Each structure stands twice: as structure tokens, then as C-alpha cells.
Amino acid sequence: MAAIWAGIDAGKTHHHCVAIDDSGRRLLSRRVANDESELLQLLADVLALGDEVTWGIDLADGGAALAIAILLHHDQPVLYLSGRAIHRASEGYRGEGKTDAKDAAIIADQARVRRDLHPLRTGDETVIDLKILTGRRMDLVADRTRTVNRLRAQLTGIFPGLERALDLTNTGPLTLLTGYQTPAALRRLGSKRLETWLRNRKVRSADQLAETAVQAAERQHTSLPGEKLTAQLVHTLAKEVIALNQQVAEIDKLIEARFRQHRAFEVITSMPGLGVILGAEFLAATGGDMTVFGTPDRLAGFGGVSPAPRDSGKISGNLRRPQRYNRRLQRVFYTSVLFSIRHSEESRRFYDRKRAEGKRHTQAVLALARRRVNVLWALLRDGRCYELAPPSALAA
């Protein structure tokens, strides 16, 4: 019996599986429900076709999570192909139609001929939890940003001076808007009583905030159409932002507590600019196992901080921004560089040197991010924390 390659086009409720032999001939084509019993039966049927089976799948989580878990628990090799890779590969196969069976056959054939596909592995429980928690945090932050933007739009419609004067990402101004939203209401209250009202709600710098709000109210004596209803919406949106802030703070505590249980916590957080949240997102994006990437160059490419060559004929040395990379990991690298430039003299000197060489801000930041990938890779490989001088230099 020969080797078999099985491709799974994963879906939410059903998957389609196609199994082929070493010549590409279809041995099995079946639509199965995303149910444990049916997936186990599919596994048994495919294993009966050959001595060795290699599986390919187009999702790494979500609707494919159960299928992947069953395959890994039965010691089956599973390779991941992105939907984008399958779409591009489909141009090399006969026919323009798209069906689940065709996609599954393409996945199986790509798993048969390619040697660069990423193998899926049983994840570290801590890393899986961090992936869930950081994903939830990203959703909450996105919800908060949208709500703040709606709040700004509504407040501008009735009280533009106050909207300009307040930083609506802070708790104090949000607390103010839960009580008072119109110029007339603030003028009637006055700065002293408003300060007392804010202090009773434990708002910092209540005197400055009260003075700022009342001054904005003194500059507007015109009541705009729809002011009463809009003020109610501002009140509701301000309370929603406060609630989202509390949810983000709570999930930050959960992330830190879970992250501290990982063996690489001290190593990752020792890097300038990589705090608890960014460090947890780094683990969530990479899985924490650097051997999967093989080299720091591959990690940099996966994170989108390594330029891709674009040479052709006599033209050489051209570089372009990569098109295929993990956006989440690139955000971690990029944001951590911005923090490190503020708080690390070494990072600041490197950034300033690149700027002096004529690099734009983004180019200088990416250059520093690429260098930091090498440093972080070495720290994780050796299991040691970041130091200004490496151990070899200290020994000398």
C-alpha cells in the first residue's frame, strides 16, 4: 500500500475531504459533518487506503479545531495551507469553477508536492489560553475605539468646544459626560459645584477638569437642534466606554496572570518595549516554539519586518514590502519598537542613526524591529534575559 495525501476544505458545519495517491488519483471524496463521530469514521476510512497518510487543511482554528484535534490526537501529520495560497494554486489546475471538492483536492495535491508547508502541532495550553484572551482583548479595544468615535461625533453635534477640550480616552472626562452634556447645564452648575461632583466620584484633577468644562460652556450659548436627545446618547455612550475600559482592565489582569505561568515570561518581558500585553500577543502569534521557524530570518519574514527581494533579469537589489505575513505579529514588533525608542538609549541611538542615513520614520522603525528579532531569537534560544552587554563581553 502506498502513501496517501488527504485534503480537508474546512467549514463551519461541514468539511469536504479528498484523498489522493502518489500519482494524484482520487481515492476518496466525501462531505462530512463537523461532528466527532463522522470525523473519526473519515479518519478510519482514509487510514484504510494506505500505510501512511499526510493531511492538509485550510484553517488552523475555528471551525477546523475539532478535526485538527482529532488528527493530532491520533498522531497524524497535519499541514496548513492558507486560503490565499489555495486560491493562487487553483489557477494551475484545470477548470475555472470553485467547489469544496475541488478545493479539497487542491489542498491534498499541494500537500503532496510542496515541502515548505507549516505543520500543525498540539499547542501549549498556556499559549492557547493567551491566544483566546488576547483575541478577546483586541475585540474589546476595537469596540471601545468605535464607541469613542461615536461619542465624539454625537458630542460635536451639540457641544464642539467641549469635545475639543476633553480627552475621551480618560475616565475623568467620561465620568463628566455621564452627568452633564450641554453648555447650559454646565453653566448652571458652575465650576465649584462641578468640582465637588467630580471629587465625589473620585475623579483625578477634578478642579482642572471642572474649570475646562465650564470655560467651554461659557463660550457657547447657542442651543443646537436635537440637543436633548443627543445629550441622552452622549450619556449612554460615555457609560459604555467606561464599562469597556473596565472589561479591558479585567482581561489585562487575566492575561498577566496566565502569561506569568509561561516559561519564557521573564525572557520576553526583559526585552525593552515588550511588556506583558505585547509579550503575550507575541506568544499567541508564534505559539512560543521558535523551532517551528528554524531561523530568525523566517521569524522576521513571518512577522513582516524583513523586506522581500524583487529582482528580475539585469535588475537586482530591489526590495519591497512583503505581502504575506502575520499582521498581528508585525503590530507587536512595530509597537514594541516605538516603546523601546522612548525608554531605551540603545534603541534610540540605532533609530537616530538610521534617520541620519536618510531613512524615513517607518523604514527606521522596521530596521530596528528586524534587529530586535535577532536579539529576541537568541534570548529564547539560550533561555536568558536581555542585558545591555552580552555574557561574552562581560567575561572578557
Side-chain angles (χ1 to χ4, degrees), residues 36 55 58 97 114 120 225 230 246 253 267 302 308 336 346 369 380:
E36 183 174 3
W55 299 78
D58 63 342
R114 291 182 60 171
L120 298 179
T230 304
Q246 293 173 346
K253 294 179 182 179
V267 175
F302 181 68
S336 67
E346 290 71 24
L380 290 170

Side-chain angles (χ1 to χ4, degrees), residues 206-262:
D207 54 342
Q208 298 178 12
L209 179 58
E211 186 66 26
T212 299
V214 173
Q215 286 179 0
E218 293 293 344
R219 292 193 295 269
Q220 179 178 332
H221 291 263
T222 302
S223 177
L224 300 181
E227 182 179 80
K228 184 176 181 180
L229 179 58
T230 304
Q232 295 176 2
L233 293 177
V234 169
H235 166 82
T236 301
L237 290 170
K239 293 185 67 175
E240 289 180 6
V241 177
I242 292 174
L244 288 168
N245 283 338
Q246 293 173 346
Q247 292 182 57
V248 171
E250 291 170 0
I251 206 162
D252 283 350
K253 294 179 182 179
L254 294 176
I255 290 173
E256 180 174 2
R258 200 69 178 100
F259 186 21
R260 286 184 178 277
Q261 298 175 9
H262 195 272

Side-chain angles (χ1 to χ4, degrees), residues 271-273 336-354 368 371-372 386 388:
M271 275 286 291
S336 67
V337 167
L338 298 180
F339 283 124
S340 71
I341 291 173
R342 295 182 190 174
H343 302 102
S344 171
E345 294 182 3
E346 290 71 24
S347 295
R348 186 73 203 187
R349 283 198 296 267
F350 182 93
Y351 171 82
D352 290 340
R353 186 169 72 249
K354 289 299 178 181
L368 178 55
R371 183 170 183 176
R372 283 164 54 87
Y386 175 84
L388 292 179

Side-chain angles (χ1 to χ4, degrees), residues 5 7 20-21 23-24 93 104-114:
W5 289 266
I20 61 175
D21 60 16
S23 66
Y93 292 83
I106 293 173
I107 295 170
D109 196 47
Q110 289 290 298
R112 179 177 67 92
V113 300
R114 291 182 60 171

Side-chain angles (χ1 to χ4, degrees), residues 282-295:
F282 170 79
L283 277 182
T286 62
D289 185 3
M290 297 297 101
T291 61
V292 171
F293 300 97
T295 66

